[in-house]
Amino acid sequence: MGAALAAAAIDAGHQALVVTGPVDVEYPDQAEVIPVVSTEDMLEACLETFPDCDGLIGAAAPCDYRPVKVAPQKISKTGDVLKLHLIETPDVVALCASVKESQWMVAFALETQDQRIRALQKLERKSCDLVILNGPGSIHSPTTLLEIMNRDGEILAEVAGTKEEAAREVFRVIAEQLIHPTAIAGSVAPGMKQN
Amino acid sequence: MGAALAAAAIDAGHQALVVTGPVDVEYPDQAEVIPVVSTEDMLEACLETFPDCDGLIGAAAPCDYRPVKVAPQKISKTGDVLKLHLIETPDVVALCASVKESQWMVAFALETQDQRIRALQKLERKSCDLVILNGPGSIHSPTTLLEIMNRDGEILAEVAGTKEEAAREVFRVIAEQLIHPTAIAGSVAPGMKQN
């Protein structure tokens, strides 16, 4: 989805900066790509680059948790139950929101129940302008089914199709709702610099 | 490594049956491939096919643990530590060994410390004929560094190079040690049927 969004942004004449985890995805040649591994790395890269961007789309799914302790050696089987203690990683989108100036921000919400209520809570918590709802069926699938919701909980668009088709529609809504109303002179792009 | 071993076996004139987890690997066209997802699925496929095979090489790294409880819905962040309780999955190679008749068996051991002692314990516990030691550097790498050890703890060969080169050498040692001494009429193959 990130690659498809970057392509849609570039096709619309914008610059795209992609901060990506270690995924097996090809990004458009014209995109600037910053590869990261951990959620902490992603946060650092985003906080460093976000001030120079006009907006941000949070399409990545960084790990929400990390182990409290990392074993220095391989853990041998003992026959007992293994108890893994995990703590939350920082919320990359919410922390970018805490330093934003005039940027627009769009979050993704993947939920398995009470999708709209949870997506709206996420939109609020992450101080975003729009949230895009999708389900677990979108993971590792060439197609997707999305709803785009604003801060009033209105569904602005429902999108189904390939991720490329969905990305173009998502980008059209972002442009209409967030870019054109605020940036009269020239257009701006998702997670990226003005062209 | 599994793909390279299957190719080495086929090149030596054997039939190769590959039971593989959901990995992004291309196996040789001539190999029969049974795809599985969980360690339990892998066990079932191996127990069903192993009786018709002349030998087995345990090169897969199936998950050693699975969650005690699987959440029916996505787990929301709460700010608290998440405690994950994991139980051991069945040992595929050891359970194949428990039903073996005349088959030869080779295990892999990936250890980060006390490699030889732990590998020898694993060889014993899994009732194998040979164990191949490697380290975490082999994971997701095109090259590898292996030691092949017998039940007396003797290092029969040290192999370094690409996985294809290593697989040919591993297969040469298997043929010399396990196939030729026992199977006079015709040769046999790793994890697979006589050709």
Side-chain angles (χ1 to χ4, degrees):
Chain A
M1 196 69 215
L5 284 164
I10 290 164
D11 286 350
H14 305 288
Q15 285 182 296
L17 171 67
V18 180
V19 179
T20 179
V23 291
D24 194 12
V25 169
E26 286 215 13
Y27 293 102
D29 287 343
Q30 304 97 306
E32 183 185 343
V33 177
I34 302 179
V36 296
V37 173
S38 69
T39 304
E40 286 79 1
D41 296 342
M42 180 168 275
L43 175 64
E44 195 183 323
C46 288
L47 288 179
E48 200 176 309
T49 53
F50 183 56
D52 295 328
C53 293
D54 296 302
L56 179 150
I57 305 176
C63 287
D64 282 348
Y65 290 91
R66 63 174 176 79
V68 172
K69 271 197 272 186
V70 174
Q73 305 291 347
K74 185 175 176 185
I75 300 169
S76 292
K77 284 178 165 188
T78 62
D80 285 339
V81 167
L82 182 68
K83 288 181 194 129
L84 218 54
H85 289 203
L86 305 171
I87 50 171
E88 291 182 5
T89 54
D91 185 323
V92 177
V93 172
L95 287 165
C96 284
S98 74
V99 299
K100 81 171 166 186
E101 296 183 347
S102 62
Q103 291 100 329
W104 51 265
M105 294 186 67
V106 177
F108 269 71
L110 187 150
E111 299 291 347
T112 55
Q113 58 184 341
D114 306 329
Q115 295 197 323
R116 291 183 182 173
I117 294 169
R118 285 170 187 254
L120 201 55
Q121 288 166 344
K122 202 172 246 187
L123 178 57
E124 186 67 31
R125 198 168 63 241
K126 294 175 189 265
S127 308
C128 286
D129 301 295
L130 297 174
V131 63
I132 299 171
L133 289 69
N134 60 351
S138 299
I139 298 173
H140 283 157
S141 165
T143 60
T144 190
L145 177 65
L146 305 174
E147 286 185 350
I148 307 175
M149 188 190 273
N150 70 11
R151 294 184 64 87
D152 297 326
E154 283 177 272
I155 306 298
L156 302 179
E158 286 186 15
V159 183
T162 65
K163 290 192 177 168
E164 288 69 28
E165 290 164 350
R168 277 196 293 274
E169 180 64 9
V170 165
F171 200 74
R172 194 194 58 72
V173 174
I174 289 173
E176 182 188 284
Q177 297 284 322
L178 306 176
I179 300 176
H180 295 153
T182 54
I184 307 298
S187 48
V188 284
M192 43 216 96
K193 299 165 205 155
Q194 189 148 353
N195 209 2
Chain B
M1 197 70 216
L5 285 164
I10 290 164
D11 285 350
H14 305 287
Q15 285 183 296
L17 170 67
V18 180
V19 180
T20 179
V23 291
D24 195 13
V25 169
E26 287 214 14
Y27 292 103
D29 287 342
Q30 304 98 306
E32 183 185 343
V33 177
I34 302 179
V36 296
V37 173
S38 69
T39 304
E40 286 79 2
D41 296 342
M42 180 168 275
L43 175 64
E44 195 184 323
C46 288
L47 288 179
E48 200 176 309
T49 53
F50 182 57
D52 296 328
C53 293
D54 296 302
L56 180 150
I57 305 176
C63 287
D64 281 349
Y65 290 91
R66 63 175 175 79
V68 173
K69 271 197 271 186
V70 174
Q73 305 290 348
K74 185 175 176 184
I75 300 168
S76 292
K77 284 178 164 187
T78 62
D80 285 340
V81 168
L82 182 68
K83 289 181 194 128
L84 218 54
H85 289 202
L86 305 171
I87 50 171
E88 291 181 6
T89 54
D91 185 323
V92 176
V93 172
L95 288 165
C96 284
S98 74
V99 299
K100 81 172 166 185
E101 297 183 344
S102 63
Q103 290 101 328
W104 51 265
M105 294 187 68
V106 178
F108 269 72
L110 188 150
E111 300 290 346
T112 56
Q113 58 183 341
D114 305 330
Q115 295 196 322
R116 291 182 182 174
I117 295 169
R118 285 170 187 253
L120 201 56
Q121 288 166 344
K122 203 172 244 186
L123 177 57
E124 186 68 30
R125 198 169 62 241
K126 295 177 190 264
S127 308
C128 286
D129 302 294
L130 297 174
V131 63
I132 299 171
L133 289 68
N134 61 352
S138 299
I139 297 173
H140 282 158
S141 165
T143 60
T144 189
L145 178 63
L146 306 174
E147 285 184 352
I148 307 175
M149 189 190 274
N150 69 11
R151 293 184 64 86
D152 296 327
E154 282 177 276
I155 307 297
L156 302 179
E158 286 186 15
V159 183
T162 65
K163 289 191 176 168
E164 288 69 27
E165 290 163 350
R168 276 196 293 274
E169 180 63 10
V170 165
F171 200 75
R172 195 194 58 74
V173 173
I174 289 174
E176 182 188 284
Q177 297 284 321
L178 306 177
I179 300 176
H180 295 153
T182 55
I184 306 298
S187 48
V188 285
M192 43 215 91
K193 301 167 204 154
Q194 189 148 353
N195 209 2

